[in-house]
Amino acid sequence: MQEYKKIQITKEEIVPTALRMRHDGRRLVMIYGYYQTDGQLLISWDYAVDPVCEAYYVVGEESVPSIADIYDEAARWPELELYELLGINFEGLDTSKRLFLPENMLETAGKGHILVTPLSELVDKRDELLGEKKEVKDE
């Protein structure tokens, strides 16, 4: 199993780290983000530094610089995913086109990002819609 090394960095160190890794011929493995149990957002950039995977991460930042101009599609795609799913702003990233969410998501959802709806609310909405359909049929 490959060793996994985690290194916390600041927002200002994201681009210099990516430039150093690219210069050294290191592959960008993945960019991901999630909300920790304390509610703070963690964003990580994982690089293959054989035989180790080095994860450089920031905590508490909702806007970070894009490294798409350094790692091309390997960075652009996950940055767009994180923008669409979590609303993370990657400064300098073109977000005018969607990866997989509807183009009109901004108009229909407000923020333009996937919103997590509790199952109970979805069931209530379904029941409400089914009730409306039944009333129309009964008329």
Side-chain angles (χ1 to χ4, degrees):
M1 176 181 253
Q2 186 176 32
E3 184 183 344
Y4 190 74
K5 183 176 176 184
K6 294 176 73 173
I7 304 153
Q8 187 167 2
I9 60 173
T10 65
K11 176 181 176 175
E12 293 74 27
E13 293 174 292
I14 295 167
V15 170
T17 300
L19 287 168
R20 179 172 47 82
M21 290 296 181
R22 185 66 180 211
H23 179 266
D24 292 347
R26 308 296 184 192
R27 287 183 305 108
L28 175 66
V29 176
M30 177 52 72
I31 302 170
Y32 63 90
Y34 61 90
Y35 283 95
Q36 301 179 110
T37 55
D38 64 1
Q40 288 201 70
L41 179 62
L42 180 143
I43 308 166
S44 182
W45 294 260
D46 292 8
Y47 298 93
V49 184
D50 291 330
V52 177
C53 182
E54 290 185 359
Y56 293 85
Y57 69 96
V58 296
V59 176
E61 299 288 346
E62 301 220 357
S63 183
V64 294
S66 171
I67 62 166
D69 59 336
I70 301 167
Y71 273 97
D72 306 314
E73 202 64 22
R76 191 184 75 77
W77 188 276
E79 287 180 357
L80 282 171
E81 280 184 338
L82 289 170
Y83 167 74
E84 287 189 24
L85 298 174
L86 296 176
I88 299 170
N89 177 41
F90 287 89
E91 300 155 5
L93 180 67
D94 178 9
T95 57
S96 62
K97 297 279 185 190
R98 296 292 191 163
L99 284 177
F100 42 80
L101 295 180
E103 290 296 330
N104 67 349
M105 188 77 162
L106 287 172
E107 293 79 27
T108 60
K111 284 181 69 178
H113 308 292
I114 288 181
L115 307 175
V116 177
T117 304
L119 182 58
S120 60
E121 288 181 33
L122 292 172
V123 169
D124 291 345
K125 185 67 172 172
R126 180 204 62 197
D127 292 345
E128 179 184 313
L129 289 171
L130 289 174
E132 289 174 10
K133 288 180 182 179
K134 184 178 180 191
E135 288 174 19
V136 170
K137 285 183 179 179
D138 291 342
E139 292 177 358

